[in-house]
């Protein structure tokens, strides 16, 4: 692979989460559509490896439950689900995403960076210093050779304000030699604008830069045998959210399906699907009567597939969900409690939504293609 037509992409590809792997795939596919070979940096933050996760879960359960044997039992159950989950997402990455050699530390990445002439930091919460335990230089492309073209593709800060000025100065310093800065949320643009960061634009998440029909055809998505259901995709513990979804399913007289993560969730009478394959996840969203979710990407795919959507605002990082709902004029689809107003909401006008998405896709194309073409001159 020659470096002249190669983009090196870094993002949070290692997280075993549907949104994380699908935005990685979408970023990869979107940049490839511009005529470039794309390689995703196979880098995992040092404190996010399997052993660290196990230690974190053990400490969490020991703190929550005073009985050591119960804590150990719960850790073992978590580990079994985690192993299954890891297999699902490793299989998707191996099949769908071209990864670089493995980097086991930030120092190694800085010393032996991937070879390319264009370097891109992708979407997801790469610039959320709370989530990442700091302003990490690798997610600001500090490993790229001097003089290389650098830009961001819908990167997310995930927050509305900084805790101190020093963090802002550090971010601004890292971004000063970017040819283009694009962020996912309006709040991210506002924050960077307030720091005096120039050439910053808000664009769609990569999963939305690829239209719904391309997802359907590209993955060969099929209709499940039993497709009259309300779907719950939940990332944050909240019993009220699941009860809300149960009310909707009862009202429609249909089934309730819950996609569970590492912590098994259950609602009486619901079907729980533990860690489905990524393709099945997409199929479940595509054919749901409606989707109840507190996930940004659960919301994004519901909109892309023209589903009836009820977005539950999590207590933390809810700005990313509200940002995409505001963009398409669907703030009324945001819920913080199980009220009954969902029954009186008008149907979503997806002609209007698609019109906005079309404009936003054209804007992203213009910005990205300008950077890529300027590199070739």
């Amino acid at each position: 692979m020659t470096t002249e037509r190669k983009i090196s992409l870094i993002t949070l590809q290692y997280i075993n989460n549907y949104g994380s792997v699908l935005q990685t795939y979408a970023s990869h596919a979107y940049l490839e559509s511009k005529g470039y070979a794309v390689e995703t940096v196979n880098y995992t933050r040092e404190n996010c490896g399997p052993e660290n996760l196990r230690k974190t879960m053990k400490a969490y359960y020991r703190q929550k439950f005073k009985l050591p044997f119960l804590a150990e039992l719960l850790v073992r159950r978590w580990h079994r689900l985690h192993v299954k989950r890891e297999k699902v997402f490793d299989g998707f990455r191996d099949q769908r995403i071209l990864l670089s050699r493995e980097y086991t530390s930030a120092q190694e990445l800085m010393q032996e960076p991937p070879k390319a002439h264009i370097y891109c930091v992708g979407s997801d919460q790469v610039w959320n210093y709370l989530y990442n335990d700091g302003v990490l230089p690798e997610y600001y492309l500090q490993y790229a050779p001097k003089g290389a073209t650098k830009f961001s593709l819908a990167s997310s800060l995930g927050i509305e304000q900084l805790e101190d000025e020093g963090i802002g100065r550090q971010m601004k310093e890292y971004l000063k030699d970017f040819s283009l800065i694009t962020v996912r949320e309006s709040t991210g643009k506002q924050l960077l604008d307030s720091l005096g960061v120039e050439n910053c634009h808000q664009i769609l998440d990569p999963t939305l830069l690829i239209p719904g029909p391309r997802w359907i055809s590209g993955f060969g998505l099929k209709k499940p045998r039993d497709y009259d259901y309300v779907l719950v995709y939940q990332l944050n513990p909240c019993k009220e959210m699941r009860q809300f979804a149960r009310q909707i399913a009862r009202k429609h007289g249909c089934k309730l399906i819950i996609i569970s993560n590492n912590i098994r969730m259950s609602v009486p009478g619901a079907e729980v699907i533990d860690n489905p394959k990524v393709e099945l996840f997409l199929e479940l969203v595509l054919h749901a009567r409606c989707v109840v979710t507190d996930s940004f990407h659960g919301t994004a795919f519901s909109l892309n597939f023209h589903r009836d959507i009820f977005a539950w605002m999590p207590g933390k990082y809810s700005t990313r969900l509200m940002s995409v709902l505001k963009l398409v004029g669907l703030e009324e689809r945001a819920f913080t409690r199980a009220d009954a107003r969902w029954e009186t909401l008008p149907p979503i006008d997806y002609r209007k939504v698609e019109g906005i998405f079309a404009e936003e896709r054209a804007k992203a194309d213009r910005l990205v293609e300008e950077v890529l073409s300027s590199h070739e001159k």
Side-chain angles (χ1 to χ4, degrees):
M1 185 186 292
T2 62
T3 58
E4 286 76 10
R5 297 289 296 178
K6 177 184 172 184
I7 296 175
S8 175
L9 170 71
I10 189 168
T11 184
L12 305 184
Q13 91 299 331
Y14 64 89
I15 298 176
N16 293 329
N17 171 285
Y18 296 99
S20 294
V21 297
L22 285 167
Q23 68 80 19
T24 302
Y25 168 83
S27 300
H28 211 105
Y30 178 75
L31 294 173
E32 280 187 331
S33 74
K34 304 304 175 188
Y36 281 76
V38 182
E39 183 181 71
T40 296
V41 180
N42 189 10
Y43 168 67
T44 302
R45 224 171 8 114
E46 293 171 66
N47 60 351
C48 288
E51 287 306 311
N52 291 88
L53 288 175
R54 189 179 178 90
K55 288 177 183 178
T56 300
M57 293 307 296
K58 185 176 285 190
Y60 168 76
Y61 282 124
R62 282 181 174 175
Q63 182 180 24
K64 188 171 183 179
F65 303 100
K66 302 305 179 185
L67 299 174
F69 77 90
L70 179 59
E72 187 61 33
L73 184 68
L74 291 170
V75 169
R76 288 178 184 175
R77 186 184 71 168
W78 170 85
H79 183 68
R80 285 196 301 273
L81 287 169
H82 178 75
V83 168
K84 179 181 178 182
R85 187 174 182 79
E86 200 169 51
K87 184 177 180 181
V88 166
F89 292 107
D90 280 349
F92 180 84
R93 283 185 285 258
D94 289 344
Q95 183 181 0
R96 302 277 186 177
I97 300 167
L98 178 62
L99 295 172
S100 73
R101 52 159 283 201
E102 184 178 11
Y103 289 91
T104 57
S105 69
Q107 182 181 10
E108 186 181 6
L109 183 58
M110 297 292 185
Q111 290 175 344
E112 300 179 46
K115 289 181 170 59
H117 277 187
I118 300 178
Y119 293 80
C120 175
V121 55
S123 188
D124 222 336
Q125 299 189 71
V126 287
W127 292 345
N128 186 336
Y129 70 93
L130 296 175
Y131 180 83
N132 288 327
D133 293 330
V135 180
L136 303 185
E138 57 267 36
Y139 291 122
Y140 290 82
L141 302 174
Q142 292 300 293
Y143 59 85
K146 186 177 181 179
T149 298
K150 301 194 291 189
F151 74 101
S152 67
L153 183 70
S155 300
S156 175
L157 286 80
I159 53 174
E160 297 184 39
Q161 57 186 16
L162 303 178
E163 290 180 333
D164 63 66
E165 294 180 359
I167 291 170
R169 287 194 296 270
Q170 191 174 13
M171 292 168 63
K172 184 178 179 181
E173 176 66 20
Y174 283 157
L175 291 170
K176 67 181 182 182
D177 59 351
F178 273 54
S179 299
L180 171 69
I181 299 166
T182 63
V183 293
R184 190 173 70 181
E185 292 94 22
S186 57
T187 50
K189 174 172 166 47
Q190 291 164 10
L191 195 156
L192 293 180
D193 284 347
S194 72
L195 295 176
V197 174
E198 298 179 354
N199 198 21
C200 180
H201 308 265
Q202 180 193 5
I203 66 169
L204 292 175
D205 183 81
T207 58
L208 292 170
L209 290 176
I210 298 178
R214 280 181 55 193
W215 284 102
I216 295 168
S217 61
F219 281 79
L221 302 183
K222 300 173 183 177
K223 189 173 288 188
R225 282 178 291 179
D226 182 0
Y227 57 88
D228 189 17
Y229 57 88
V230 170
L231 181 68
V232 174
Y233 177 48
Q234 182 176 2
L235 298 181
N236 305 280
C238 181
K239 186 177 180 180
E240 188 180 8
M241 175 183 157
R242 298 194 299 276
Q243 291 173 336
F244 175 57
R246 190 181 183 190
Q247 291 173 11
I248 297 172
R250 281 178 172 173
K251 183 74 174 181
H252 288 308
C254 66
K255 189 176 186 177
L256 180 64
I257 294 180
I258 298 174
I259 296 175
S260 78
N261 301 296
N262 280 345
I263 306 302
R264 186 177 174 87
M265 301 175 186
S266 62
V267 172
E271 177 184 349
V272 178
I273 303 179
D274 287 321
N275 301 312
K277 287 187 175 182
V278 177
E279 292 80 2
L280 178 55
F281 168 82
L282 292 172
E283 288 176 349
L284 288 168
V285 176
L286 174 62
H287 296 294
R289 177 187 284 261
C290 73
V291 179
V292 180
T293 186
D294 63 352
S295 154
F296 172 84
H297 286 103
T299 301
F301 278 105
S302 297
L303 294 172
N304 223 357
F305 291 155
H306 297 186
R307 296 300 87 196
D308 201 10
I309 171 74
F310 302 101
W312 194 273
M313 298 293 106
K316 202 173 186 182
Y317 310 144
S318 60
T319 180
R320 50 197 176 139
L321 279 80
M322 185 57 78
S323 181
V324 70
L325 290 175
K326 282 184 177 179
L327 180 68
V328 293
L330 293 175
E331 298 96 320
E332 61 190 6
R333 293 281 166 163
F335 286 77
T336 56
R337 60 187 180 87
D339 59 52
R341 65 185 172 87
W342 70 269
E343 298 185 58
T344 60
L345 289 175
I348 297 174
D349 182 355
Y350 271 109
R351 287 178 301 177
K352 177 182 175 183
V353 171
E354 280 301 329
I356 295 170
F357 282 164
E359 292 178 3
E360 291 296 322
R361 287 167 186 144
K363 179 175 79 172
D365 286 345
R366 185 174 66 253
L367 291 167
V368 172
E369 288 167 7
E370 184 177 330
V371 167
L372 298 179
S373 63
S374 65
H375 161 75
E376 295 175 355
K377 292 178 181 177

